[in-house]
């Protein structure tokens, strides 16, 4: 009996020590390069219009929205060392970005939710730890990938309400779950191509395209330029925010079943209180003789 009690106490002590070792913070992002006019909106913050003439690199909040036009492009480096490239007319957002900085700012556990609607998105997240989670929500389905180098391109025809999209995997393992619940697994040098309405797209899997190979080569050059900037923790920390433990516990409990089409949990981020509105004093005209008789 004493031995069992000792084992339970040791397990409880280890669990408490592990919980205390975790130090969760909202991540940050650094914009390393821009082409054209890119609009970056921080959650709870202002809207930033960036162009090549701006002073870069520039740190922004890890929760953001990016809107680009046809010839616009932006390269991002996150505080957990993910590289992201977004190009073309479209929309990309980071809706959830948590990382454990208890051991290291760039080597701990991470949880991310991306929202990609249209354009071209290239991501290298091979540096993430094995227990990290990364989900990409799109109009045609959900991508889950822990360790990969991949891209996705989405085009939408407003006249026919049809999507034309492709996912190409240069390294790692990637899973795509369509809105109809079907799941496809892509590995090194594989491509998924889809076309049709969002919930009824025709999908085929083949080898990676030559165009994607060229895009990955260009991305590698941009990533090397970002690494040459030698971005340190000091540039990310001012834009990072410490999170309450309860937030990480909620994120830990929820894990969507594989292939599930259930709705994802609603995440509410509280924005800081806005400045007081300038008071406005109105002047009311005196009532007419007819109106005065009504009172």
């Amino acid at each position: 009996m004493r031995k069992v009690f000792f084992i339970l106490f040791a397990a409880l002590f280890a669990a408490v020590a592990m919980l205390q070792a975790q130090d969760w913070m909202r991540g940050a992002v650094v914009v390393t390069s821009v082409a054209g006019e890119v609009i970056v909106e921080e959650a709870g913050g202002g809207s930033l219009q960036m162009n090549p003439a701006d002073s870069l690199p520039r740190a922004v909040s890890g929760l953001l929205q990016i809107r680009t036009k046809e010839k616009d492009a932006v390269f991002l480096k996150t505080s957990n060392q993910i590289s992201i490239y977004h190009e073309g007319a479209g929309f990309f957002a980071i809706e959830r970005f948590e990382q454990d900085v208890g051991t290291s700012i760039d080597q701990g556990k991470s949880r991310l939710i991306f929202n990609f609607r249209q354009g071209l998105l290239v991501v290298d997240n091979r540096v993430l730890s094995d227990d990290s989670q990364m989900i990409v929500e799109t109009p045609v389905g959900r991508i889950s990938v822990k360790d990969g180098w991949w891209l996705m391109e989405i085009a939408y025809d407003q006249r026919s309400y049809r999507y034309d999209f492709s996912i190409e995997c240069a390294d790692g393992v990637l899973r795509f779950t369509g809105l109809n619940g079907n799941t496809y697994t892509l590995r090194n040098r594989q491509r998924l191509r889809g076309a049709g309405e969002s919930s009824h797209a025709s999908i085929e899997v083949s080898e990676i395209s030559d165009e994607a190979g060229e895009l990955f080569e260009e991305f590698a050059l941009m990533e090397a330029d970002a690494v040459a900037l030698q971005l340190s923790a000091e540039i990310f920390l001012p834009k990072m925010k410490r999170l309450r433990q309860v937030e990480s516990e909620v994120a830990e409990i929820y894990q969507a079943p594989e292939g599930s089409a259930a709705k994802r949990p609603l995440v509410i981020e509280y924005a800081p209180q806005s400045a007081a509105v300038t008071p406005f004093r109105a002047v009311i005209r005196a009532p007419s003789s007819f109106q005065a008789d009504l009172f």
Side-chain angles (χ1 to χ4, degrees), residues 29 62-65 80 82 84 91-99 110-117 121 123 128 132-138 141-145 150 250-251 254-256 263-269:
V29 173
L63 299 183
L64 52 80
Q65 297 180 356
N80 59 350
I82 295 177
I84 303 170
F91 172 87
F92 167 72
I94 302 179
E95 296 184 342
R96 194 171 187 91
F97 185 179
E98 301 171 348
Q99 63 180 113
S110 301
R111 303 189 186 99
L112 301 107
I113 298 179
F114 290 173
N115 186 342
F116 175 50
R117 315 304 295 177
L121 181 69
V123 180
L128 290 183
S132 294
Q133 301 173 10
M134 180 175 174
I135 295 174
V136 183
E137 299 285 354
T138 77
R142 173 185 296 171
I143 296 174
S144 60
V145 53
W150 55 276
V250 172
Y254 177 82
Q255 289 186 359
K263 293 183 178 180
R264 54 189 174 141
L266 178 64
V267 179
I268 300 177
E269 286 287 341

Side-chain angles (χ1 to χ4, degrees), residues 15-71:
V16 173
M18 182 179 298
L19 188 62
Q20 292 177 344
Q22 293 181 346
D23 188 6
W24 289 94
M25 297 187 71
R26 178 198 296 168
V29 173
V30 168
V31 180
T32 63
S33 65
V34 169
E37 298 286 344
V38 177
I39 298 176
V40 178
E41 298 179 9
E42 298 179 281
S47 178
L48 308 174
Q49 187 169 356
M50 298 186 178
N51 56 65
D54 291 338
S55 179
L56 299 175
R58 180 170 182 174
V60 295
S61 169
L63 299 183
L64 52 80
Q65 297 180 356
I66 296 178
R67 302 179 187 276
T68 50
K69 296 182 180 179
E70 186 65 33
K71 296 183 180 181

Side-chain angles (χ1 to χ4, degrees), residues 2-12:
R2 182 179 298 177
K3 183 177 181 181
V4 174
F5 176 79
F6 177 78
I7 294 175
L8 292 175
F9 178 79
L12 179 61

Side-chain angles (χ1 to χ4, degrees), residues 145-243:
V145 53
K146 290 185 177 181
D147 179 10
W149 185 18
W150 55 276
L151 68 80
M152 183 173 190
E153 191 166 9
I154 303 177
Y156 178 64
D157 188 342
Q158 295 183 349
R159 293 176 298 178
S160 62
Y161 305 104
R162 293 170 61 88
Y163 286 92
D164 187 355
F165 62 96
S166 62
I167 306 173
E168 316 224 19
C169 181
D171 192 13
V173 179
L174 177 149
R175 288 180 176 84
F176 171 75
T177 302
L179 296 184
N180 57 7
N182 295 334
T183 300
Y184 303 84
T185 301
L186 298 182
R187 294 180 172 83
N188 298 3
R189 310 293 297 175
Q190 285 189 319
R191 177 194 193 193
L192 180 148
R193 178 72 184 273
E197 297 181 1
S198 58
S199 58
H200 299 88
S202 300
I203 294 177
E204 61 179 12
V205 178
S206 59
E207 294 184 355
I208 194 172
S209 65
D210 295 336
E211 293 81 1
E214 296 176 358
L215 284 172
F216 284 122
E217 291 179 0
E218 295 174 2
F219 178 87
L221 295 176
M222 289 184 285
E223 192 170 24
D225 292 338
V227 172
L229 296 175
Q230 297 181 347
L231 303 175
S232 62
E234 284 70 21
I235 192 172
F236 292 101
L237 286 174
K239 288 295 183 177
M240 298 179 72
K241 178 182 177 182
R242 196 166 304 279
L243 301 174

